[in-house]
Amino acid sequence: MINKLRTNLKFELYSYNIDFKKPAWFFNRFADSRKGYIIKLYQDRYAGFGDMAFLPGAIPDEKILISDLTYIVNLISIDDNPDLNGLISNYSIIEKYNLYPAAVFGLECALWNLFAAASGKTPAGFLNDSPDKAIALNALVPELNDVSIQKINKLYETGYRAIKLKVSGEEKEISFLQQLQIDSKLNNLKIRLDLNRRTEFHQSVKFLKKLPTDMIDYVEEPVTEPHKYIEKIKKETGLKIAIDESLAENPNDEYLKSQADVFIIKPSITGSLKTVFELKQYADANKKRIILSSAYESGIGMISLLNLASGLCLYPEAHGFDTYKFIRNDVFEEKLDINHSMIETDKIDKTVFPKLNSNCRRIV
């Protein structure tokens, strides 16, 4: 039987603005809000939504974005029996064009959701016949102060077993972690440190060697020049090393991938879901860990990230989706209830999205 190709896809585009509860750091500056777009792809009775979550300082001209989407959507095809190979073939078409990464992510998520709806499957089930039934999350403690240990203990009591801390290599942070180890009775708690490429090699090694290493799950971006020093830091400290920005900037850097123990992937910044799938294959073949991470996406973007974690079967890894709790308003009337250490996937609204609220203004 020959499947019938259909190319008459249509799309709608909605602009929105999200305010942050407190200023967030982007591209060497703080921002109080960000702009994004929700794209709806539809054909016949099926539809799929995606979130183009542009970060401040990386927003395309709106007219050019609409023109590019109009052209690319006309090239996309879906047959009577949509499958993953057909989806990835369309991704190869999309990625030939110079869209911003957030636009690629939104468009590819919308197409993925459309393919899933047309196939009668959930988005996670479209990626894998046996998707994860639960998604573990870590918690972010963005500031270390006198009440942070109390916060961490409370998070542990509510079920969190992985905590991410933003650090900068200071002595007071060493004291904090040493005190946390002394004061807490948190069995199996793992601390994930993010140095965010703030420290040079010698400062980083000095800092990391003083830490209570049995608590540390991994250290993210520990040095300003990762390509030059990541291997030396692993040898000097014995700690697991994760890459985030370095991976997003060059997902094909074989040396960095070989040296890193953990890949932190922000799909809306990586852009390409095809690249995410390829990184998953590499990680499986080379015994690397994958953590998915959010970047202030809307509720629609978060649903896609949760479905992606489920469909890639990454459990029991705890993912970093905490940025959602730092946004003040959403594209839905009510924000998603995902501020928990564990999300059951059958409670994710996978195929039918709630009505967009007045924050969304249709422009196409």
Side-chain angles (χ1 to χ4, degrees):
M1 177 179 176
I2 298 176
N3 293 331
K4 181 182 177 183
L5 278 179
R6 295 175 288 173
T7 57
N8 58 328
L9 285 182
K10 298 178 181 179
F11 78 95
E12 295 174 3
L13 196 66
Y14 300 80
S15 68
Y16 69 86
N17 284 281
I18 279 180
D19 297 320
F20 305 140
K21 292 180 179 178
K22 59 182 181 180
W25 184 257
F26 301 103
F27 301 112
N28 300 315
R29 66 185 179 92
F30 284 101
D32 298 311
S33 63
R34 72 160 183 82
K35 183 177 181 178
Y37 296 88
I38 301 299
I39 183 169
K40 174 186 176 182
L41 280 180
Y42 61 99
Q43 183 182 69
D44 301 330
R45 64 185 183 277
Y46 303 115
F49 291 77
D51 180 17
M52 299 181 178
F54 296 104
L55 298 182
I59 304 173
D61 178 86
E62 191 170 276
K63 290 182 180 179
I64 294 175
L65 175 64
I66 293 171
S67 176
D68 288 344
L69 290 174
T70 301
Y71 180 80
I72 294 171
V73 167
N74 284 330
L75 301 176
I76 294 172
S77 63
I78 177 172
D79 62 35
D80 290 329
N81 296 292
D83 59 16
L84 186 56
N85 288 332
L87 180 64
I88 292 174
S89 293
N90 279 294
Y91 285 175
S92 297
I93 294 171
I94 292 169
E95 291 165 21
K96 289 180 181 178
Y97 299 92
N98 193 30
L99 289 175
Y100 280 60
V104 174
F105 173 71
L107 178 56
E108 292 190 353
C109 283
L111 189 60
W112 164 32
N113 286 305
L114 174 62
F115 267 58
S119 68
K121 298 179 180 180
T122 66
F126 186 81
L127 299 182
N128 193 300
D129 289 335
S130 300
D132 286 338
K133 295 181 179 180
I135 302 161
L137 304 181
N138 73 199
L140 172 65
V141 178
E143 298 174 353
L144 303 188
N145 51 44
D146 294 339
V147 298
S148 295
I149 290 181
Q150 296 174 16
K151 288 181 180 178
I152 292 172
N153 277 277
K154 187 174 181 180
L155 287 166
Y156 182 86
E157 291 172 3
T158 60
Y160 287 96
R161 293 297 179 267
I163 305 291
K164 180 174 178 176
L165 304 177
K166 296 274 191 178
V167 293
S168 54
E170 299 179 8
E171 284 292 328
K172 63 180 182 181
E173 294 165 344
I174 297 171
S175 299
F176 174 88
L177 289 164
Q178 291 172 340
Q179 194 63 41
L180 177 64
Q181 185 182 43
I182 293 169
D183 289 357
S184 64
K185 303 186 185 334
L186 310 180
N187 296 326
N188 302 319
L189 178 71
K190 288 298 182 181
I191 299 295
R192 299 169 170 180
L193 299 179
D194 185 4
L195 276 161
N196 208 33
R197 299 195 295 197
R198 293 178 182 174
T199 54
E200 54 84 27
F201 172 68
H202 294 292
Q203 179 189 359
S204 180
V205 169
K206 181 180 178 181
F207 171 73
L208 295 174
K209 278 188 170 182
K210 293 181 180 180
L211 299 180
T213 56
D214 56 326
M215 294 183 66
I216 308 302
D217 187 12
Y218 58 74
V219 183
E220 185 177 333
E221 297 289 358
V223 68
T224 53
E225 299 178 86
H227 208 281
K228 185 175 181 180
Y229 290 116
I230 187 172
E231 185 175 4
K232 293 180 179 179
I233 284 184
K234 287 183 66 174
K235 289 180 179 178
E236 289 278 351
T237 68
L239 293 168
K240 302 292 185 183
I241 303 299
I243 52 176
D244 178 356
E245 292 87 357
S246 300
L247 186 64
E249 290 167 1
N250 190 357
N252 296 316
D253 190 320
E254 293 300 323
Y255 174 73
L256 277 182
K257 289 193 297 184
S258 69
Q259 292 301 315
D261 303 288
V262 185
F263 297 165
I264 311 294
I265 302 175
K266 291 183 172 71
S268 64
I269 292 178
T270 302
S272 162
L273 287 180
K274 184 168 173 279
T275 297
V276 175
F277 299 156
E278 290 168 351
L279 287 171
K280 174 64 164 59
Q281 290 179 330
Y282 180 96
D284 288 346
N286 293 277
K287 298 182 179 180
K288 309 291 184 179
R289 296 165 57 190
I290 284 184
I291 310 293
L292 298 183
S293 181
S294 62
Y296 297 90
E297 292 85 357
S298 73
I300 284 182
M302 291 307 307
I303 290 173
S304 292
L305 290 175
L306 289 163
N307 281 322
L308 187 61
S310 174
L312 293 179
C313 296
L314 298 174
Y315 187 83
E317 291 290 3
H319 302 286
F321 295 160
D322 245 25
T323 59
Y324 186 70
K325 74 181 183 184
F326 294 109
I327 67 173
R328 190 177 301 280
N329 58 308
D330 198 3
V331 298
F332 302 147
E333 290 298 338
E334 294 185 10
K335 288 182 65 179
L336 301 174
D337 182 21
I338 59 172
N339 191 22
H340 307 284
S341 61
M342 192 77 66
I343 305 294
E344 295 178 14
T345 55
D346 62 358
K347 294 182 179 179
I348 303 170
D349 190 357
K350 301 180 182 67
T351 54
V352 181
F353 292 86
K355 184 179 179 180
L356 298 177
N357 63 19
S358 59
N359 185 27
C360 297
R361 179 177 62 89
R362 183 175 175 180
I363 58 174
V364 176

